[in-house]
Amino acid sequence: MLIFVSNWVRVYTADNPPEAVFIRGLLEAEGIPVRLKSMELWAAAVEIYFAEGARPSVWVPERARWEAERVLAQRDRSGTGTVWTCRCGERLDGQFTVCWRCGAARPADD
Ligand SMILES: [Zn+2]
C-alpha cells in the first residue's frame, strides 16, 4: 500500500494504466511532480482491479494543483478530438503523441 503525504491531491482518474502514464508524462513535461495510485493493482492482478473498482489516479502536490489542472485543461481542448495522420499512413486519436504502429512521434502542430 502506498503512503501519500497529506498535501498530495488527486487531479485525474484514468480509465486504464496507459492513460495514467500518459497523463503523468504530460505533467512531468511541465515540471510537476507526479505520483500514480492504484497502478500496483494492475501489476499484481487485473482481477483485483476489477473487483475493487479502483482506477489508476494521478496525484500532484497541492501547490502544483492549479498548474496541473491548467495542463489537463489544455489537453482537453487540444487533445482527444483531433485525429492526426502519421507519416506511415496510420490515423490516430489526438490523445496519442506517438504512433502505435511505427513509433514515430506526432508532428508538432502548435
Ligand atoms: Zn506511424
Side-chain angles (χ1 to χ4, degrees):
M1 183 173 183
L2 295 178
I3 305 298
F4 290 92
V5 294
S6 60
N7 62 338
W8 286 70
V9 295
R10 184 177 62 201
V11 293
Y12 191 84
T13 301
D15 290 329
N16 50 62
E19 186 184 16
V21 170
F22 173 75
I23 295 297
R24 179 177 65 182
L26 281 182
L27 296 174
E28 286 183 341
E30 298 292 325
I32 300 171
V34 178
R35 288 181 179 178
L36 300 181
K37 193 175 180 182
S38 296
M39 295 289 284
E40 73 277 12
L41 294 179
W42 278 76
V46 171
E47 57 268 31
I48 293 176
Y49 167 85
F50 285 114
E52 305 215 337
R55 295 197 299 168
S57 53
V58 180
W59 296 65
V60 303
E62 191 164 25
R63 59 182 163 76
R65 178 177 192 163
W66 304 119
E67 177 70 7
E69 292 187 345
R70 183 186 65 79
V71 172
L72 293 174
Q74 286 184 339
R75 168 184 173 269
D76 288 342
R77 199 161 54 239
S78 64
T80 55
T82 307
V83 176
W84 57 285
T85 303
C86 179
R87 65 188 181 194
C88 74
E90 189 64 41
R91 287 170 62 80
L92 298 116
D93 289 339
Q95 69 195 84
F96 298 107
T97 56
V98 174
C99 176
W100 55 264
R101 185 180 186 190
C102 73
R106 180 183 186 172
D109 56 8
D110 56 359

